[in-house]
Amino acid sequence: MALAVVLIRGTQQKTDLGLNLTLANACPKCGTPLPAVRVPKNFRQALWGGWTCAKCGVELDKWGRPRSD
Ligand SMILES: [Zn+2]
């Protein structure tokens, strides 16, 4: 059950280990609607989710927040 605890905690705290059940639908920076099908552009996106905005190029995590790292 440790894994479940990690997932629940990650979801509450919005970490990479969380499960995002309410996907953001627009880029928080430029407002461009995000595609329903998100093709990962790098290994991290494939692993953790997230995407890169096609218009402004900002990289977002699966919570729709710009990645700062
Ligand atoms: Zn954008």
Side-chain angles (χ1 to χ4, degrees):
M1 292 306 290
L3 179 61
V5 171
V6 167
L7 289 176
I8 292 168
R9 189 168 297 163
T11 301
Q12 290 170 338
Q13 298 175 358
K14 296 190 175 183
T15 69
D16 279 335
L17 290 173
L19 300 172
N20 187 1
L21 303 177
T22 55
L23 290 170
N25 55 17
C27 173
K29 192 173 176 186
C30 68
T32 299
L34 298 167
V37 178
R38 291 160 194 156
V39 180
K41 292 208 166 145
N42 55 44
F43 181 73
R44 186 172 64 198
Q45 289 182 5
L47 188 64
W48 297 119
W51 62 98
T52 303
C53 176
K55 186 176 179 186
C56 71
V58 67
E59 189 176 353
L60 305 171
D61 66 11
K62 69 179 160 194
W63 306 102
R65 299 175 302 190
R67 278 207 180 265
S68 56
D69 56 352

